[in-house]
Amino acid sequence: MAEKNYYSIDPEGKIKCMKCKVPLVKSGAKFMYLDNGFPVEMPVCPICGFVYVPEELALGKVLAVEKALEDK
């Protein structure tokens, strides 16, 4: 099965929503995990609301927060 791309990065380094064909903008978003919410500022599609989470954030800080919450 082919992998679906939700975003692209243009030569200038801007991230674009593949569905809406528009650049993402920094906006407020909320990570939810085990009934806890964490406000964050992330690149978001202004049309469909797709939130881009960089791999280093997902595997770094987010993973650390998940482990901390699970240990409670």
Side-chain angles (χ1 to χ4, degrees), residues 44-65:
V44 175
C45 177
I47 297 173
C48 71
F50 166 76
V51 179
Y52 172 75
V53 180
E55 183 178 4
E56 62 271 8
L57 177 62
L59 297 176
K61 290 183 182 181
V62 173
L63 186 60
V65 169

Side-chain angles (χ1 to χ4, degrees), residues 13-24:
K14 293 182 181 175
I15 304 168
K16 182 190 265 185
C17 177
M18 293 294 288
K19 176 182 176 188
C20 303
K21 308 293 187 223
V22 298
L24 303 186

Side-chain angles (χ1 to χ4, degrees), residues 7-17 23-26 43 52:
Y7 68 92
S8 67
I9 300 175
D10 71 16
E12 295 179 9
K14 293 182 181 175
I15 304 168
K16 182 190 265 185
C17 177
L24 303 186
V25 297
K26 281 193 176 180
Y52 172 75

